Structures are given as C-alpha cells and as structure tokens.
Amino acid sequence: MQFVTTHTRTDFDALASVVACTFLYPGAVGVLPSMVNPEVKQFLAIHQNILRIVPRKGFDLDEVTSLIVVDANNWKRLDKMDSLAEREDLEVICWDHHMEGVTIDSSETHREEVGAAVTLLLEKMQERDTPMSPMHATLFLLGIYSDTGCLRYPCVTGRDAAMVSYLIENGADLNVVSAYLDDAMDDAHTELFGRILEESEIINVGTVSVGICALTINNGMTSLSSLVNKFREFRGVDAAFGIFQSDSQKCMIIGRGKPQFIDIGQVMRTLGGGGHPGAGSAIIKDASPAEAAMQVQSLIDRACNNATEVRAVMSDPAKFIVEADATMAQASEKLSVKKISGLMICEKTTLIGGLSVVDCAKAEKSGRADVPVKGYARRNISKLAPSTCCREAVLLMTKAKEGLLAVVDGDELVGVVTQTDLLLQVYDF
Ligand SMILES: [Mn+2]
C-alpha cells in the first residue's frame, strides 16, 4: 500500500504536504509522526477525522510498498522509519524543498527551492484541476504561511505567492488561518516570552541595536525561534539573540536579524552552527547561559563591524563637483544635465559645502542666478570617513538636503554617496 509521511515535530507545511498527497495519489494514506508542533496539534484536535491520516503509533511498516516522503529528505527526520532505507522492493517518492543533507534515495524526486514544500504539490493540483474544499485550502495556506512567515521570509518565491492566490480563490479562510498562526503561543510560550522581555538586554554596536537574552528554560519547549523573532519585532531592534539552556550540558543559540546590518550566519558558523545572514542557530556545549551570552556578544561586535563601508559603495565625486566660483546658473545647468539631486562645492579638491536643487531654484527666483555658488554653500553638511559603515550613511541620508553625502579624507572630497549607492546595499538584487 502507498503511504505518505513527513518529519517529526510536524509543522503546518509538513501536514499540508501530507494531505496534498492524499489528493494527488488516490488511495494513499498519511502516516502522522507521534510528535507534532503544538499549533498543528491544536489544528488536528478538530480536523483529524476529515483527513486521510493514521497515527505512527501502532502502524506496521510491513504494510508499506510505496512511500511518499514530503517536506523531509533524511531518514533520521522521519518517525522511526530507518529500517525502510534497507528495503530494496520499496518505491520511494520525494516532494521536498530542503536542498542539503539528502539521505533518502528516491526513485522519483521533486525537490525544488521554494518557500514551502506544499507549493510544489499545489502546483500539481492546480495543473490537474483537482477540486478541494475551503477547509483543505485553509490548511494548505497555513502550510505556505507558516514556512514563509506569511510571505515575509527571504525564502519566498513567486511560486509560493501564486499558490497563495490560488488557495484564496479556492475559499481558504483567512480568519481561521490567523487564528492558528496567532494562537501558536500557548501559556508556556507566553510566560517564556514575558521572561525574554524582562531579562533581555539591548546593546548598541555602532548604530546597530541588538537584543540578547540568556535564560534557563524547561525541557521540550518548541517554537523558540519564533519567540526570538517576536522579541526582535516587539523591541524594534535590528537583531535578536536568544540563548536557551534546557539541560546542563548545552545552550541553544538562536539569532534573527536584518541581514543588511549584521550577518547572523557568520556568528553562528563561528560557534559551530549555521545559518543565513538573517537567521541562524548553534549549540554551545559546557557553557552557562551567561558564558554563552558573552561569547555571542564578542562575535556580534565583529559581525556588525564587518558591515560594508561606504568606501566600497561610494561614487566618483567628479560628476557632483562644482567649483566655488561657478555661478548658480552654471550649477543649475549641471544639476539638470547630469540628472542629479545635489552638488558638492569645492575649491580644487577641498570641500567647501553642499548645494541642492532647491537652493538653485531659490537663487533663480530671486534673480541671483549669476552670483557664485560659494555664497549659497551649505557648510554644515554631513561628512563621512571612507570607513563609515553604510548603516550609518543611511541614517545621515535622511537629513541630507542634497540627497548626497560627502566622503572626505581630512578636507579633501574623495567620494560621494548617493541614494542609489545605498539602495543597492539594502536590497539583495
Ligand atoms: Mn517545509
């Protein structure tokens, strides 16, 4: 018989993928791991009977002739199914979006880098015009939303978003979706979140704000990463680190942040873990939470200071320079020919001040187009050293009337930073 299964600590993407397979493979039955996430458990409490699913407990592996594995690529992540790895007569089909660490040899493999595994299955359902009830559409939407942070995580692809649209057209109930996503915090999580807020510390590394909390917690707490992310959002910091100790041997470190300001993955790799610029985790052995926090803190300094310096993004100043004795009319002309928002007034290479489009318009209006630009120089403009980080430049740019920042070495103008230079840093094009 054909069965579908997925990873333990089953999340909504995993459950949704199992259920989607029961649509795509007539007769296939889902085998649910014994351990599922609390929010999935809540969902199953009233939905289990309408889904074609049996519990892992009491399930006989001998019945399996064909196995579909969804949202997982490793025998170790399944619920005690390792023995099937040896079975030569077994057909294995995989639907998954985890690209690394594959140990399951499948005869048919659908593995693609999308935000949620269920997206791949939904595309197939859409292609075959498979009918679904609004209840099923709701579960599938929970799958996409929970793996993609409601389409906000960097893993999202246009294909995930297209399937969200398809599910809404099929009657997915957004009120139900919100209820399950919001209710993910049970009493234990609420209490822990309170402790995180109370016992955390906010530190500033240059202009990057980082929240850190180090706590001893009960064994078996799940969804810690979503608490760390909530903590980051709640406090409005650029990055947040949670250090949790649930047994005396090791501390779990979880980091979430804005990738343009800090490379979380770098911190975690140094600690022996892994991750991306925006998210990562690691385990530190034989350290108290306070000791682990110190280690993390020393690495944060480096990860923030590694931020890109303006020297790497700044533009050649030549296009933006107007000589101090040029007239306002000449400055206006340069602004419009070069299509730029401001100019730097220089005497040779020495910076005197800045000049904006508005300054030129004013001079023209009051009949002073032929006075030298020197008289209009805005002398208190922000000046940066080439080693200033882009994050600081972004903050200064909000006040720059010229829409430009001057990069100086002593009095000498060595570059300018335009809004475009910074945009290219903030977005991952
Ligand atoms: Mn997934």
Side-chain angles (χ1 to χ4, degrees):
M1 231 180 118
Q2 189 166 43
F3 292 93
V4 196
T5 198
T6 186
H7 59 82
T8 62
R9 297 185 187 276
T10 308
D11 54 24
F12 274 121
D13 183 33
L15 177 67
S17 300
V18 168
V19 173
C21 280
T22 64
F23 281 75
L24 286 172
Y25 298 87
V29 173
V31 181
L32 193 68
S34 300
M35 198 184 311
V36 303
N37 276 356
E39 56 271 25
V40 168
K41 199 171 188 176
Q42 252 184 59
F43 180 89
L44 288 171
I46 56 168
H47 294 81
Q48 183 145 11
N49 289 344
I50 41 172
L51 306 173
R52 207 156 70 221
I53 283 180
V54 296
R56 172 69 183 92
K57 210 172 163 203
F59 174 74
D60 183 1
L61 289 183
D62 288 344
E63 284 185 57
V64 186
T65 54
S66 169
L67 184 69
I68 308 166
V69 179
V70 294
D71 198 29
N73 59 19
N74 196 305
W75 288 110
K76 291 212 161 60
R77 295 201 69 207
L78 306 185
D79 190 357
K80 300 191 195 80
M81 299 210 174
D82 308 48
S83 62
L84 291 177
E86 317 296 321
R87 286 251 307 265
E88 273 173 20
D89 58 332
L90 182 73
E91 177 195 42
V92 180
I93 301 169
C94 262
W95 289 86
D96 184 31
H97 65 145
H98 299 94
M99 309 308 285
E100 267 148 49
V102 182
T103 66
I104 299 177
D105 239 347
S106 39
S107 45
E108 188 188 316
T109 312
H110 309 267
R111 179 168 294 114
E112 290 182 75
E113 222 164 347
V114 287
V118 72
T119 293
L120 301 173
L121 292 149
L122 289 167
E123 287 176 342
K124 191 50 99 185
M125 286 175 67
Q126 187 184 36
E127 192 186 306
R128 293 191 192 165
D129 230 345
T130 314
M132 68 176 95
S133 71
M135 190 281 294
H136 286 104
T138 304
L139 169 61
F140 298 148
L141 187 56
L142 275 166
I144 298 181
Y145 272 4
S146 73
D147 256 33
T148 63
C150 300
L151 297 183
R152 289 180 312 158
Y153 297 163
C155 61
V156 174
T157 67
R159 295 165 66 182
D160 301 295
M163 288 305 105
V164 168
S165 151
Y166 167 59
L167 293 171
I168 291 170
E169 279 164 17
N170 273 279
D173 188 328
L174 289 160
N175 288 320
V176 176
V177 168
S178 304
Y180 282 102
L181 292 180
D182 291 344
D183 279 349
M185 290 234 279
D186 60 15
D187 289 350
H189 286 100
T190 311
E191 197 225 304
L192 179 56
F193 189 57
R195 285 180 60 208
I196 291 175
L197 292 181
E198 233 165 69
E199 297 178 38
S200 58
E201 194 191 339
I202 310 288
I203 57 170
N204 289 296
V205 182
T207 52
V208 183
S209 55
V210 183
I212 302 187
C213 69
L215 299 171
T216 306
I217 60 168
N218 292 334
N219 231 331
M221 276 300 281
T222 56
S223 311
L224 291 171
S225 56
S226 84
L227 286 183
V228 172
N229 205 35
K230 279 197 175 86
F231 164 46
R232 190 186 68 70
E233 290 176 347
F234 199 87
R235 278 286 145 90
V237 287
D238 299 319
F241 289 84
I243 295 148
F244 304 105
Q245 185 174 50
S246 59
D247 72 54
S248 55
Q249 303 302 315
K250 53 186 193 248
C251 284
M252 175 89 188
I253 325 279
I254 296 167
R256 289 289 183 275
K258 299 181 189 167
Q260 64 270 37
F261 302 140
I262 180 171
D263 187 343
I264 303 261
Q266 183 199 330
V267 173
M268 296 306 175
R269 279 189 295 279
T270 316
L271 293 171
H276 316 284
S281 63
I283 286 172
I284 302 186
K285 288 195 176 135
D286 300 319
S288 70
E291 286 161 354
M294 298 253 292
Q295 275 193 53
V296 170
Q297 207 162 324
S298 68
L299 295 169
I300 290 173
D301 284 348
R302 214 183 316 154
C304 293
N305 290 330
N306 257 357
T308 313
E309 296 180 350
V310 296
R311 81 169 90 239
V313 305
M314 68 189 188
S315 302
D316 182 342
K319 180 175 156 189
F320 301 91
I321 289 176
V322 60
E323 282 294 326
D325 46 16
T327 64
M328 290 300 273
Q330 286 170 320
S332 279
E333 163 128 25
K334 181 151 188 172
L335 285 170
S336 68
V337 171
K338 301 278 184 195
K339 296 196 175 63
I340 51 182
S341 59
L343 289 165
M344 294 290 149
I345 303 170
C346 289
E347 247 159 15
K348 299 230 172 71
T349 57
T350 304
L351 179 65
I352 307 283
L355 192 70
S356 71
V357 173
V358 178
D359 299 330
C360 288
K362 268 190 199 154
E364 209 161 311
K365 221 174 172 186
S366 52
R368 294 167 58 84
D370 51 2
V371 302
V373 293
K374 198 162 27 176
Y376 273 86
R378 216 183 270 282
R379 286 172 194 269
N380 60 344
I381 58 168
S382 311
K383 294 170 192 149
L384 318 177
S387 60
T388 310
C389 74
C390 287
R391 153 79 164 155
E392 199 170 335
V394 171
L395 293 178
L396 290 171
M397 190 64 94
T398 58
K399 296 182 213 124
K401 298 249 182 343
E402 301 80 13
L404 291 178
L405 297 170
V407 184
V408 294
D409 182 359
D411 283 337
E412 192 187 338
L413 184 70
V414 294
V416 300
V417 176
T418 66
Q419 296 186 359
T420 315
D421 296 333
L422 294 176
L423 265 183
L424 293 173
Q425 279 308 297
V426 173
Y427 287 87
D428 193 10
F429 288 125

